[in-house]
Amino acid sequence: SWDRLQRRADKLHDDSPDDEFHRTRIALKRARYAAELASRSLDGKAADGAARLAARLADLQDLLGEIQDAAVAESLLRDTLSARGAGARYAFEAGRLVERLRSRADAARRAFLETWPNVRRRRLRRWAM
């Protein structure tokens, strides 16, 4: 699961589509769950190392979740704009909300891309070697 996560996350950049971030989130979840299982199955330093990795992956998962949540919310808002009765006032407020969602998603993207290189370091995975 780690190799798949690493391949996906290493390919991401500022302009990657939301779908790529979402697929990376799924791979990240799987790697996190594997690390959590290892932390419960191992003893001593190995268990502590696996737990530390799982915690770091959980933080990254939260960032990627913000991106996905914003994408889904924007899609739903766009769908409501075509609904009967959605007037100019609604469209204006929906646009403001989408702008805020995008801003939060962009901040989460930047945070993920800045944090990922530190999480992918081999030192966090020494327990598995």
Side-chain angles (χ1 to χ4, degrees):
S1 62
W2 177 262
D3 292 341
R4 177 173 288 151
L5 167 60
Q6 190 169 336
R7 277 193 307 276
R8 287 197 177 282
D10 286 348
K11 290 180 186 177
L12 294 176
H13 51 82
D14 285 335
D15 297 331
S16 294
D18 291 336
D19 254 10
E20 290 300 317
F21 279 93
H22 182 60
R23 282 194 278 279
T24 302
R25 181 174 181 240
I26 292 168
L28 197 146
K29 270 186 187 183
R30 290 178 178 147
R32 174 189 165 195
Y33 297 156
E36 287 175 346
L37 177 63
S39 74
R40 292 183 187 110
S41 303
L42 300 171
D43 295 321
K45 288 184 180 184
D48 294 343
R52 274 192 302 279
L53 177 60
R56 297 290 298 272
L57 293 176
D59 292 342
L60 289 177
Q61 184 180 335
D62 289 344
L63 290 173
L64 295 181
E66 284 190 40
I67 298 166
Q68 179 64 16
D69 290 349
V72 169
E74 181 177 344
S75 176
L76 291 172
L77 283 168
R78 286 183 183 280
D79 290 346
T80 64
L81 285 173
S82 61
R84 220 172 76 199
R89 176 183 256 165
Y90 179 83
F92 178 78
E93 293 301 328
R96 289 181 62 203
L97 182 55
V98 166
E99 183 180 5
R100 285 188 208 126
L101 290 167
R102 284 185 182 172
S103 177
R104 287 180 58 192
D106 288 345
R109 278 175 184 257
R110 284 190 302 277
F112 176 85
L113 293 171
E114 289 171 8
T115 305
W116 171 246
N118 293 323
V119 174
R120 78 180 297 280
R121 289 181 144 164
R122 180 171 240 138
R123 69 177 167 77
L124 285 175
R125 292 176 285 119
R126 276 190 211 139
W127 59 270
M129 298 175 186

